[in-house]
Amino acid sequence: MRVPVYKLKLLTWEKPERVKFLLKGLEYRGYKRLCDIDVFVGGKKIDWVDLGKYKSKFELAKAAREELERHLSGDVLKRLREIGERLAPEAD
């Protein structure tokens, strides 16, 4: 099965590890992967284990998702959860 692949260049003041952390929160919902997002710097892929203190990618994704959700309004968070439920029912 072919799927579209997109390559984005990001100009940011954030460190690459911080970007990887936040994107990992979008990649997973519970133990279910919604998408695959990789971060490359200078042609080298940043792996989740490079972020250090997390025992699993799921623990990392949960922490990142919780941080991202804290910055959303109630309406936006509700909409995001509705979309997540359609993409990955019973993921949590």
Side-chain angles (χ1 to χ4, degrees), residues 7-92:
K7 179 179 177 180
L8 304 170
K9 289 188 179 190
L10 179 65
L11 177 62
T12 179
W13 57 88
E14 295 287 357
K15 292 182 178 182
E17 294 80 12
R18 175 76 176 149
V19 172
K20 175 67 175 182
F21 172 79
L22 294 171
L23 290 175
K24 202 59 147 174
L26 299 177
E27 196 171 339
Y28 284 87
R29 181 169 169 257
Y31 293 98
K32 193 151 195 166
R33 182 184 258 180
L34 303 175
C35 61
D36 183 25
I37 304 172
D38 293 320
V39 175
F40 288 85
V41 177
K44 181 182 180 286
K45 181 179 170 181
I46 297 177
D47 198 28
W48 72 269
V49 294
D50 296 333
L51 303 181
K53 64 182 182 177
Y54 299 96
K55 296 177 184 174
S56 74
K57 61 185 171 185
F58 304 113
E59 181 183 314
L60 166 65
K62 182 178 186 240
R65 192 169 189 87
E66 287 171 356
E67 182 173 332
L68 288 167
E69 287 180 352
R70 279 195 302 270
H71 296 286
L72 300 176
S73 69
D75 291 341
V76 171
L77 184 55
K78 180 182 175 194
R79 180 77 175 122
L80 179 67
R81 289 184 176 155
E82 288 170 358
I83 292 168
E85 184 60 34
R86 280 186 284 163
L87 289 173
E90 302 176 28
D92 293 325

